[in-house]
Amino acid sequence: PELRLLILGDSAAAGVGASHQSDALLGQLVSALANDFSVHWTLQACTGHTTQQALAHLAQLPPQPFDMVVTSVGVNDATAGIGTRRWRQHMVELLRTLEERHEAGHILVSGLPPMHRFPALPQPLRWYMGMRAAALNRTLQQLLSGNPRQRLVQVDFSDSTGLIASDGFHPGPGAYAEWGKIVAAVMRERLEQKSDVG
């Protein structure tokens, strides 16, 4: 069966920190699903994009339906100091656009990573950004809890080598592998539920 996949968001969605897309989130997902699905993917991601900028970018795309959407936003909102309430409004608009304009079957929202472990951030900034990321993740949990088509995917990254890219800020191949494995498992679970209902 065909699977129409959209990956939307920031530099992590774009694959910064991986030498090739096959090692990035997109490649990990396509590889994990290719044996059972004909994956038609669209990657719309830009380094530095906040949630509002990702929303503006999405608004420029022609309407097209997607079975699965994976988002990666929030880190740039945290570093830009965007308030939690304002960020929540941007997320609501983003999710609404995906459901109404792009008929998203399932939206898997990636939680913010553990920024308190980013080597590129000096202390106490690293601690503060970790607190900001945790606050935005709590907001996501509350926001997504009431919609069965939306799901927060939180990855508790291990401490293995290769987790963080050499810049000390972006995911490395190890992080993309862990992230992709968890997202692919959630996708399969949702698609199997849909198949059982059908």
Side-chain angles (χ1 to χ4, degrees):
E2 293 188 348
L3 178 64
R4 297 163 299 182
L5 169 67
L6 169 65
I7 297 179
L8 173 73
D10 52 22
S11 56
V16 173
S19 59
H20 191 273
Q21 281 295 336
S22 61
D23 296 322
L25 179 62
L26 172 63
Q28 296 291 339
L29 292 177
V30 172
S31 176
L33 299 167
N35 286 341
D36 300 302
F37 299 94
S38 176
V39 182
H40 301 276
W41 55 267
T42 300
L43 177 62
Q44 296 290 339
C46 184
T47 297
H49 265 188
T50 62
T51 303
Q52 187 176 32
Q53 290 170 324
L55 175 62
H57 184 80
L58 184 65
Q60 297 175 4
L61 299 181
Q64 54 181 310
F66 294 103
D67 302 302
M68 285 282 176
V69 178
V70 180
T71 69
S72 170
V73 291
V75 168
N76 294 313
D77 299 84
T79 58
I82 294 173
T84 303
R85 182 179 299 179
R86 186 173 159 211
W87 181 69
R88 187 184 191 281
Q89 293 172 343
H90 296 161
M91 280 301 304
V92 168
E93 292 177 34
L94 182 70
L95 295 168
R96 183 187 301 124
T97 301
L98 287 169
E99 287 194 340
E100 295 180 359
R101 182 179 171 86
H102 296 281
E103 303 174 38
H106 298 277
I107 305 173
L108 307 184
V109 178
S110 301
L112 276 72
M115 297 183 72
H116 64 281
R117 289 164 53 191
F118 284 9
L121 300 177
Q123 294 289 15
L125 179 61
R126 190 188 309 175
W127 170 84
Y128 174 74
M129 294 313 301
M131 295 291 288
R132 287 279 295 138
L136 295 186
N137 279 334
R138 287 193 295 272
T139 300
L140 279 179
Q141 188 74 55
Q142 295 167 353
L143 177 62
L144 302 173
S145 61
N147 190 323
R149 290 197 293 167
Q150 301 170 4
R151 166 82 181 266
L152 174 62
V153 180
Q154 190 65 56
V155 182
D156 294 322
F157 292 105
S158 69
D159 293 319
S160 60
T161 57
L163 184 70
I164 301 293
S166 58
D167 64 7
F169 191 85
H170 290 96
Y176 281 120
E178 293 183 16
W179 187 8
K181 181 179 180 180
I182 291 173
V183 172
V186 174
M187 282 187 179
R188 286 186 177 279
E189 174 189 314
R190 299 223 146 197
L191 291 168
E192 287 171 4
Q193 288 174 351
K194 183 178 178 181
S195 177
D196 290 343
V197 171

